[in-house]
Amino acid sequence: MFTGIVEAVGKVQAIAVNGQGARVTIACQGLDMADVKLGDSIATNGVCLTVVDYSQNSFSADVSTETLKRTGFAYYQIGQPVNLEKAMLPTTRFGGHIVSGHVDAVVEITRIERQGNSWDFHLTMPTEVAPYLAEKGSVTIDGTSLTVNSVADSSFRLTIVPHTTEQTIISQYQVGTKVNLEVDVIARYLERLLLARTGGAEQSTASSGVTESLLQKAGFIK
């Protein structure tokens, strides 16, 4: 598990494609590798990767075909900057939100606007992701824990403060940039709970299955 607080920015150093997917090597000079061991997890642009080899300044991990299909690794090139975070410890300060490192969708930035000393980023989202995003809720973009400022039918808006821009790869985003998105895991568990409490009998056109009548049956709204 991770918190979405980026510890360092690294770069893709090598990509070796094989029959099972690919082995990637990430240069990570800014990441403290002193306590890293084989088998440890490091979130790389929000994707949980298992360390299979490492040095003081880099680590390697295997990326499955499934991961290549469902994340930004499908189009990453040598030199691609990536956000890095080691798995959280029980003693870690929990500054973000619960992040699993399992990407739900790749979404695209459609508009960037300056707002005072911050930036507004507008992003598209597929219909199957929309029910899990809520205004002032949490979302993970390329491994960074962010707050959703507004939600529309097929898009949402983020406001990024200068510190976050400076400490992550967000400063390199442009209109058209594709990023990894992970919804708040609590939203997924809530959906599962609601469906279980109603026996899963209700059918919905919404891909998540969460409807107003379902919430009423579960006693969450009147």
Side-chain angles (χ1 to χ4, degrees):
M1 303 298 287
F2 308 92
T3 68
I5 303 301
V6 174
E7 296 181 80
V9 173
K11 286 187 177 181
V12 177
Q13 191 174 69
I15 303 175
V17 179
N18 53 54
Q20 290 73 46
R23 175 163 292 190
V24 298
T25 301
I26 308 296
C28 56
Q29 286 86 347
L31 190 67
D32 181 7
M33 298 289 286
D35 60 349
V36 172
K37 305 183 296 297
L38 292 178
D40 282 357
S41 298
I42 299 178
T44 305
N45 263 12
V47 180
C48 179
L49 297 182
T50 300
V51 176
V52 298
D53 191 18
Y54 68 96
S55 67
Q56 184 177 354
N57 296 315
S58 68
F59 70 92
S60 297
D62 291 324
V63 179
S64 68
T65 302
E66 177 71 7
T67 301
L68 289 175
K69 289 178 181 178
R70 296 178 65 90
T71 73
F73 275 98
Y75 54 84
Y76 288 172
Q77 303 292 325
I78 304 302
Q80 167 83 31
V82 288
N83 292 321
L84 300 174
E85 181 192 355
K86 294 184 292 186
M88 65 183 297
L89 301 171
T91 55
T92 301
R93 179 174 292 173
F94 201 172
H97 72 283
I98 298 174
V99 177
S100 67
H102 300 154
V103 172
D104 291 294
V106 175
V107 299
E108 184 174 337
I109 297 171
T110 57
R111 192 161 83 248
I112 302 173
E113 299 172 329
R114 186 69 180 259
Q115 295 292 343
N117 66 344
S118 302
W119 294 89
D120 275 0
F121 287 79
H122 298 257
L123 301 92
T124 59
M125 60 179 169
T127 55
E128 61 268 23
V129 169
Y132 301 103
L133 269 65
E135 185 174 341
K136 304 309 177 186
S138 296
V139 68
T140 307
I141 298 296
D142 278 346
T144 304
S145 173
L146 298 169
T147 299
V148 178
N149 269 350
S150 63
V151 182
D153 291 338
S154 59
S155 64
F156 63 100
R157 176 175 59 89
L158 306 169
T159 299
I160 312 299
V161 298
H163 177 79
T164 303
T165 304
E166 294 165 3
Q167 298 300 316
T168 69
I169 66 172
I170 290 177
S171 62
Q172 302 183 46
Y173 289 170
Q174 301 176 356
V175 172
T177 296
K178 293 180 172 61
V179 295
N180 293 323
L181 179 148
E182 179 187 333
V183 302
D184 191 342
V185 68
I186 294 176
R188 289 206 174 277
Y189 280 116
L190 178 59
E191 174 195 30
R192 182 64 176 170
L193 173 64
L194 290 171
L195 292 173
R197 289 182 64 174
T198 57
E202 178 171 341
Q203 298 297 317
S204 169
T205 56
S207 61
S208 71
V210 179
T211 65
E212 184 176 353
S213 60
L214 179 62
L215 292 171
Q216 289 175 333
K217 288 181 180 180
F220 284 89
I221 60 176
K222 295 181 179 181

